[in-house]
Amino acid sequence: MSDKKQEKIKVSRAKMPEQDPDVRRRNFKEVPEGLTPEMAVAEAKRCLQCKNPKCMEGCPVSVKIPEFISLIAQEDFMGAAKKLWERNALPAVCGRVCPQEEQCEGQCIVGKKDKPVAIGYLERFAADYARKNGSGEVPPVEEKTGKKIAVIGSGPSGLTVAGDLLLKGHDVTIFEAFHKPGGVLVYGIPEFRLPKEIVASEVATLEKMGAKIECNSVVGASVTIDELFAEGYDAAYIGVGAGLPRFMNLEGENLIGIYSANEYLTRTNLMKGYLFPQYDTPIARGKNVVVLGAGNVAMDSARTAMRLGAESVKVVYRRSREEMPARAEELHHAQEEHIEFVLLTNPTRFFGDANGRLIGMECLKMELGEPDDSGRRRPVPVKGSEFRIDCDLVVVSVGSNANPLLTNSTPGLKLNRWGNIVADPANGKTSKRGVWAGGDIVTGAATVILAMGAGRAAADSIHDYLSRGW
Amino acid sequence: MAKIVNREEMAQGTIILNEIQAERISQKAKPGQFVILQADETGERIPLTMADTNPEKGTITIIYMVVGKSTARFKELQVGDDYYALIGPLGKPTHIENFGKVVCVGGGTGIAVLHPIARALKQAGNDVTTILGSRSYDLLIMEEKMKAASNTLHICTDDGSKGHHGFVTDVLKKCLENDKIDLVVAIGPIPMMKFCSLITKEKNVKTFVSLNPIMVDGTGMCGCCRVSVGTDTKFACVDGPEFDGHKVDFDELAKRLASYVEVEKQSMEAFKKSRQQ
């Protein structure tokens, strides 16, 4: 190994400046503050510029990682952002919410001996730089093809499909059921993790590229896919998300104060309940909050409850710490903010007062038994271990089922036994001619970047179809 | 995009009618379905079951009672103004067929919801007896339209200012005693629907009610509108809004509707203050 390379590895990985945990747990401002230009350049110089970059293999949308990092190292920050846009319409979003430790950074060669290059921080840095300092220029689009595509749902997969097809010169209309575009990026992921101004800016870029956005359009209710075809659309992409919250079917689950994570987060984020009464939609401010489940959405809910003024927030999970599905960074942030983890514990029923308001819940201790289908050790109840937790707010965050609103109104669309759309994993093609699907409505609840990866593959396939046929 | 083309004040200004331009919704909507409206970017999403549609004009009609900040804000919107957001048609339509003899019971703004349903039932060949109730005659809405949508119309007022002096349930009881009734549709305040359902359950007469729980998205995504129906939990937005009145837990529904009663008062006070300045 040359001296030069050894020298590079000695610089330690950039540490993201963050709001102090004791301050941030009571406000909705973004937690990480972003790298300074000096920090970004120093971090970019840690990259070995591998000839055969493993990091790109770890990226579902194949961002040209070494190239954009090299441009940051040369202090061409705008150039770095443009390099990102070539493969990713939403870099400011991905830099914040992708699980980099499992993807690009998980494959980074520097990471074999040292901590991997902070690819996510750098992506975020370049995208933020372009948003704040750019001239508002957008990626150039090819000559108009005259083909019309309906993108149903404006979440991460829909926005990716739209971006890719706009670049190729197609006409794209995005249909969104809510009054604001962005899907889960707007209603689900909290402001402190993904400021809504960033989503609005990424959507505005698509609009400048020619995307039409029809908010307040519930495809399946106000118009069907077949009607869109009759109106002249050549292809449709379904990216409507999972969208039907699961409850646990326990006694007392309809007491006031028990929310699905979807409702709790939608009231807070999309409807801006945390700004009540400036915004009209109220959100319960629990004193003693329990979140059921341990995924990223559960962490978002727990940290939101803390910001809404809770005295205590407990995450109750039936397995152990090792099985918690949330990203390590989210768990770390939650713990720093005094969220307690009550592990190997399962709720059994809820208690209410005479007005139907939640006052507590009963739980059962669990222990780990033999591995189940998922390969994780199955939690088994410990007999006689019932105990009570006093709480006035519970957020149920145990996943979602497929929402049948759109699929019921679309004849010819094959579904699996859970109601998810059956689509070719390679290209998103469904059983219905001219219709593609991707994201959570196909896979069940997953991540933003996987939805974007599915969108990318579908966009390529749609372009192919529009040029050559089904 | 959702322009008010016609507006009427009813029941001494406590109930408002808006006819709204909504091309796609007007073509699709069926009796029993609802829309969600939002007055401003900062507003709440309010579900309202449609009182009428006019596919030729491309309009829908909603009728609401002014009860809190959001509806007070709706009341300020005049002809030519737009709602910030309007989505629909949502929920399952009423099942319409020729059942035979049907009694439709309506109270308050529930009468507006009942209107297209009664009309469709009559058109399907049913013999429709309608019973409308209000506190006082000057608060009763849509009498003429309901007369046209029914074969027989009864009016009940709590103060005796018109028709039967007493509750709709008194007249419903008589109907059930005098005739073999095949179906009852009851739409109105929760106590009204609850007691109508109790009476019809005794006689084992099938009864539909239309529920109005708090909603956010209205498309099944949030679960805010869950109601206990028999041993199941249902989402009123996608499984309803109509359910078997004999199975609905009305007491739970009433409690859940009061979830935000304290903060709603706060919101209303702030609104009144802002309008006095």
Side-chain angles (χ1 to χ4, degrees), chain A residues 14-91:
Chain A
K15 205 171 171 319
M16 175 64 85
E18 286 177 349
Q19 265 199 84
D20 181 78
D22 283 323
V23 175
R24 74 182 192 230
R25 73 195 185 99
R26 297 302 190 198
N27 72 48
F28 275 84
K29 282 190 282 204
E30 194 176 11
V31 169
E33 288 158 341
L35 300 184
T36 63
E38 296 73 28
M39 291 166 88
V41 170
E43 183 63 23
K45 287 182 175 163
R46 291 181 70 226
C47 173
L48 298 177
Q49 293 292 318
C50 302
K51 282 213 181 72
N52 181 14
K54 293 283 175 211
C55 50
M56 281 181 69
E57 290 173 19
C59 176
V61 295
S62 309
V63 164
K64 293 174 182 166
I65 295 169
E67 293 181 43
F68 98 79
I69 291 182
S70 158
L71 287 162
I72 293 180
Q74 296 162 41
E75 298 184 32
D76 179 4
F77 305 141
M78 205 53 221
K82 284 182 185 166
K83 189 54 74 181
L84 284 164
W85 281 338
E86 286 178 19
R87 294 291 173 88
N88 184 350
L90 312 169

Side-chain angles (χ1 to χ4, degrees), chain A residues 206-218:
Chain A
L206 293 180
E207 285 186 285
K208 278 190 212 153
M209 289 163 68
K212 287 187 269 301
I213 301 181
E214 281 200 28
C215 286
N216 304 309
S217 289
V218 188

Side-chain angles (χ1 to χ4, degrees), chain A residues 350-470:
Chain A
F350 300 101
F351 306 114
D353 66 11
N355 295 318
R357 289 180 187 268
L358 176 75
I359 53 168
M361 63 191 282
E362 184 189 73
C363 296
L364 204 53
K365 286 275 179 207
M366 311 293 274
E367 57 191 8
L368 292 180
E370 293 300 309
D372 63 11
D373 295 346
S374 69
R376 299 179 297 180
R377 294 177 66 192
R378 185 195 306 273
V380 186
V382 178
K383 267 197 188 136
S385 66
E386 287 88 351
F387 68 103
R388 184 179 161 129
I389 299 178
D390 288 329
C391 54
D392 56 354
L393 198 148
V394 162
V395 182
V396 183
S397 179
V398 294
S400 303
N401 296 326
N403 190 326
L405 203 145
L406 175 96
T407 50
N408 276 350
S409 75
T410 314
L413 206 55
K414 202 175 154 200
L415 308 178
N416 69 14
R417 63 186 163 119
W418 297 282
N420 295 101
I421 298 174
V422 176
D424 187 330
N427 57 28
K429 268 188 182 179
T430 69
S431 57
K432 190 176 172 77
R433 191 186 165 90
V435 180
W436 282 255
D440 285 3
I441 189 62
V442 172
T443 57
T447 60
V448 166
I449 189 67
L450 284 176
M452 291 179 62
R456 162 66 40 80
D460 288 345
S461 174
I462 292 169
H463 178 65
D464 198 47
Y465 165 73
L466 295 174
S467 330
R468 275 182 294 198
W470 184 248

Side-chain angles (χ1 to χ4, degrees), chain B residues 84-102:
Chain B
Y84 168 76
L86 166 63
I87 64 164
L90 302 172
K92 289 187 176 157
T94 308
H95 176 70
I96 303 287
E97 63 169 70
N98 191 346
F99 296 93
K101 272 191 186 285
V102 178

Side-chain angles (χ1 to χ4, degrees), chain A residues 180 227 231 259-260 280, chain B residues 24 28 41 69 222 260:
Chain A
K180 280 186 185 160
E227 285 164 348
E231 286 177 20
Y259 289 82
S260 72
D280 294 342
Chain B
R24 276 193 163 142
K28 290 259 156 163
E41 198 260 332
K69 151 95 194 256
C222 85
Y260 299 102

